[in-house]
Amino acid sequence: VVEAPEPTAADLLAREFLDRPGPQVAPDLLGCVLEREAADGLVAVMLTEVEAYNGEKDPASHAYRGRTKRNAVMYGPAGHAYVYFTYGMHFCVNVVCMPDGTASAVLLRAGKVIAGEDLARRRRFPASLSREPKGARESRDLARGPGRLCQALGIDRNLDGADLCVPDSPLRLRAPSRRPPAGERGGEGVTPLRSGQESLILSGPRVGVREGAEVPWRFWLAGEPTVSPYRPYARRR
DNA sequence: GCACCGATGTGCT
DNA sequence: GCACATCGGTGCC
């Protein structure tokens, strides 16, 4: 196999490409590849489901009530990872959009593992589990959902702020591997998937949010089995 | 497949 | 205190 793991700057998404409002960037991220390189190996997923959060104007965004210590990275320059901890046990990772000073982000909800599946499986189902999990352990479930995606890729708060646009980063964003001929490419070297091209992009309401549920800012690839099942907002006791 | 529910840490009112 | 950009288990159809 001649798969070259080390990307060059041209293989990665350009920061300017992400320097737009999250709802514009989000569908363009589908088909792109998120790579995590750690001491124990490399895991890569092709993104199949994302959700946009549009900063201070968006009641569902962590930035709705302004800048805090937790969401500080979202206010920084585009192309960095905003990682947060939620529900007492899960991490979620976002791609920061828009320039320094403006908060906007895209939550990475699901992906298809295309490299390092064994490592991803060990992270999701460690041998130290006291009981063998009864649930499905199929390949499609390895990164199906934002918490699972972070688990499979070994993403935790240490990667909050990581730069996704530089080749030597532990967490990187590659342009889609399937590209049209060079002549058809734009100047930035980035060619997002588009409706009617390789895959059909669908959109709908965001998962698990109460306010701001009207806007269809969740985007996914039609027919992809790795897309997470829709769960509406649920009240808890 | 669906509905419900508990686990669990932390940010913010 | 309470709400949470979640998940895995159980029970049921």
Side-chain angles (χ1 to χ4, degrees):
Chain A
V1 180
V2 283
E3 194 82 18
E6 291 307 324
T8 67
D11 296 322
L12 303 182
L13 288 186
R15 201 175 310 282
E16 307 81 61
F17 180 76
L18 303 169
D19 211 340
R20 296 177 286 150
Q24 281 182 36
V25 172
D28 291 348
L29 289 179
L30 297 173
C32 293
V33 173
L34 182 69
E35 282 186 352
R36 163 68 163 134
E37 193 166 17
D40 47 358
L42 179 117
V43 175
V45 299
M46 182 188 77
L47 299 175
T48 58
E49 182 191 359
V50 299
E51 259 175 17
Y53 288 85
N54 205 17
E56 298 190 339
K57 304 184 296 292
D58 180 359
S61 170
H62 287 172
Y64 187 55
R65 288 172 179 82
R67 184 180 190 136
T68 65
K69 187 175 179 183
R70 175 172 68 152
N71 65 25
V73 170
M74 235 199 309
Y75 283 81
H80 292 257
Y82 165 46
V83 180
Y84 66 90
F85 184 68
T86 192
Y87 289 105
M89 58 197 96
H90 300 295
F91 292 98
C92 293
V93 61
N94 294 250
V95 175
V96 172
C97 302
M98 296 292 280
D100 199 1
T102 304
S104 192
V106 178
L107 170 69
L108 306 183
R109 286 197 56 89
K112 174 182 171 182
V113 175
I114 59 171
E117 177 164 337
D118 288 349
L119 177 53
R121 199 173 289 277
R122 288 196 298 276
R123 285 182 176 143
R124 288 268 291 123
F125 310 109
S128 60
L129 281 184
S130 51
R131 243 183 71 197
E132 189 75 355
K134 299 183 76 171
R137 344 176 47 163
E138 303 167 40
S139 298
R140 69 164 198 188
D141 290 323
L142 289 173
R144 191 189 193 204
R148 292 164 166 182
L149 183 146
C150 282
Q151 215 182 342
L153 270 59
I155 294 173
D156 62 19
R157 59 180 107 247
N158 293 322
L159 289 178
D160 187 33
D163 192 343
L164 302 169
C165 302
V166 295
D168 63 348
S169 175
L171 193 60
R172 310 181 284 253
L173 253 183
R174 270 188 201 256
S177 42
R178 286 181 52 109
R179 297 202 205 188
E184 297 177 22
R185 229 183 282 156
E188 299 303 325
V190 167
T191 307
L193 295 179
R194 277 205 297 266
S195 171
Q197 220 169 326
E198 290 92 338
S199 307
L200 180 65
I201 293 174
L202 300 180
S203 69
R206 295 174 289 185
V207 176
V209 309
R210 183 174 42 161
E211 302 202 70
E214 325 80 38
V215 288
W217 284 350
R218 173 187 183 228
F219 302 89
W220 66 93
L221 293 180
E224 255 294 332
T226 55
V227 173
S228 68
Y230 179 69
R231 298 198 196 206
Y233 173 79
R235 219 188 120 226
R236 22 223 155 235
R237 38 192 302 158

